[in-house]
Amino acid sequence: MDPIASAGVAGRFGGAILTKRPSYLIVFVTAKCNLLCKHCFYTEEIQNAKGKKELTLDEYRLIARKAGPLTNLNFTGGEPFVRADLADIVAAFRECTGVPFVGITTNGLLRERLLETVERICAQPGPYYLKLGVSLDGFEGVHDKTRDRVGAFQETLRTIEALQPLRRRYPRLMLYVSTTVTKYNKGEIMPFIDFVRDNLGVDAHYLGYVRGSAMVPETKEVSLEEYRQATDYLGHRWNPKSAVYNALNALNSLMVAVNRETIARDGWVVPCVAGQQMLTLTEEGLVKPCEVLEQIGVSPYTMGDLRKHDYDINAVLRTPEARAIRRRILEERCHCTFECANQASIVFQPSSLVKSAWLYARHRITGGR
């Protein structure tokens, strides 16, 4: 990204901080999935996906036209590459919002469609980055057990290998591995971090903390100390070469510090911007603050239905229901370890950026204890 484009990105973030407008959008583009993973919190939606009336491409175009400027746009699911029109949905948001960072998470098993879609997205004009996160839960035995699919590990490795020519052709494509720390992989997480670094040719490796209503509850048996050791090891072993990834890695380190403090306190560390600067959009067009509230039993958690508000996100946020949910998040000091929400809360609030930097420095000095 050239200096002029970078200045534009800084302006977008600055505008989001000053105006508190929605700037970070997480889109559950489908509930359909080709796997049923044991640590997944979206199991109920995936199992009922056939009965859902998912947003169409034309509806996404209407949403994008009214969304306003965005800084981050993340597509998830389900498996996003189930949708054959994913590249067209990305193009609609790119053209209408100018979003500089587009993220897609995937299990990497729909290889041919994935490669075709990623190339179409990367060929779209304009200064932006595509962050493609491929999920790997550990070595072959653990990954296949977690994903409940024999051969999933080897298939995903083949997808990562097949993506390498696109990485060389399109510098805007940033490829990373995403691993959720669970009961199943915590015993091998450190050698697995080394395996990813030394063998897969990816730009980064990120660790998540298992959360929500996991399909198999025992997957959540991970202590703060186990999470601390894993994140510390990753921080010491990974040194991104890209300037952009250095910045993203620094932000990730601050987020991990906030997550660890949240777990230790079981309480609020920084004010959450979910429901304001960060929003979640379901596959049926419901606007929610995040993906976590319903997982922890908070109700109501839906701010509004875009199909009933002329596909206008900002109109939804002006409703009494949306304002009440946002007020409740602040008054009840809502807190969790949702990585995207904590990253957004750091980026869009200067005071939280300072506090997270202090927590990171303290953890470095004390070993996180």
Side-chain angles (χ1 to χ4, degrees), residues 10-11 53 72 83 107 118-119 123 161 191 234 240 257 315 318 327:
K53 187 180 178 182
N72 290 79
R83 290 196 65 139
N107 58 42
V118 168
E119 182 155 26
E161 182 179 3
L234 179 70
R318 291 191 290 268
R327 186 166 56 249

Side-chain angles (χ1 to χ4, degrees), residues 305-316:
D305 185 341
L306 284 174
R307 285 173 167 149
K308 296 178 180 179
H309 289 86
D310 199 26
Y311 301 97
D312 188 339
I313 290 173
N314 293 287
V316 169

Side-chain angles (χ1 to χ4, degrees), residues 24-42:
Y24 192 133
L25 188 61
I26 298 171
V27 180
F28 281 76
V29 75
T30 184
K32 299 180 179 71
C33 193
N34 52 341
L35 291 176
L36 200 59
C37 304
K38 294 182 179 179
H39 61 325
C40 181
F41 65 84
Y42 217 58

Side-chain angles (χ1 to χ4, degrees), residues 108-123:
L109 295 182
L110 300 177
R111 186 179 310 116
E112 295 306 316
R113 179 174 288 174
L114 183 153
L115 294 172
E116 177 188 355
T117 302
V118 168
E119 182 155 26
R120 287 184 59 199
I121 294 172
C122 288

Side-chain angles (χ1 to χ4, degrees), residues 70-92:
L70 297 175
T71 58
N72 290 79
L73 178 64
N74 287 358
F75 291 98
T76 187
E79 168 53 47
F81 290 100
V82 165
R83 290 196 65 139
D85 58 359
L86 182 58
D88 297 310
I89 296 172
V90 172

Side-chain angles (χ1 to χ4, degrees), residues 174-363:
M174 301 193 299
L175 179 63
Y176 68 92
V177 164
S178 177
T179 301
T180 301
V181 183
T182 70
K183 175 183 178 179
Y184 299 157
N185 64 16
K186 63 186 182 182
E188 64 178 36
I189 197 71
M190 294 179 187
F192 183 66
I193 288 169
D194 289 338
F195 169 80
V196 172
R197 184 197 63 178
D198 297 337
N199 297 280
L200 298 192
V202 295
D203 297 296
H205 188 185
Y206 295 132
L207 299 181
Y209 189 76
V210 63
R211 64 178 184 277
S213 303
M215 187 180 77
V216 179
E218 71 171 5
T219 58
K220 298 178 65 176
E221 295 175 12
V222 180
S223 69
L224 171 58
E225 179 62 17
E226 289 164 334
Y227 177 63
R228 182 195 68 77
Q229 290 178 4
T231 52
D232 277 352
Y233 190 82
L234 179 70
H236 290 308
R237 302 295 283 175
W238 269 90
N239 294 296
K241 298 176 182 178
S242 160
V244 174
Y245 254 118
N246 275 325
L248 294 175
N249 201 49
L251 173 60
N252 186 71
S253 296
L254 299 183
M255 177 276 297
V256 168
V258 169
N259 268 10
R260 282 158 49 163
E261 193 72 12
T262 300
I263 298 167
R265 295 185 190 181
D266 190 21
W268 164 295
V269 176
V270 297
C272 186
V273 301
Q276 189 165 305
Q277 284 125 310
M278 190 197 85
L279 297 172
T280 294
L281 176 61
T282 75
E283 61 279 350
E284 293 187 294
L286 301 181
V287 179
K288 301 180 180 182
C290 67
E291 62 193 43
V292 174
L293 286 180
E294 61 193 288
Q295 299 288 320
I296 59 177
V298 175
S299 182
Y301 49 79
T302 298
M303 306 179 90
D305 185 341
L306 284 174
R307 285 173 167 149
K308 296 178 180 179
H309 289 86
D310 199 26
Y311 301 97
D312 188 339
I313 290 173
N314 293 287
V316 169
L317 294 187
R318 291 191 290 268
T319 64
E321 294 83 0
R323 290 174 175 170
I325 290 172
R326 177 63 191 158
R327 186 166 56 249
R328 184 176 179 182
I329 288 172
L330 295 176
E331 290 176 352
E332 297 186 6
R333 300 168 71 86
C334 192
H335 58 276
C336 68
T337 58
F338 179 25
E339 291 83 5
C340 293
N342 282 337
Q343 284 183 348
S345 297
I346 292 167
V347 168
F348 295 128
Q349 299 178 119
S351 60
S352 296
L353 179 62
V354 172
K355 184 171 185 179
S356 61
W358 175 81
L359 286 172
Y360 173 74
R362 194 191 74 187
H363 288 172

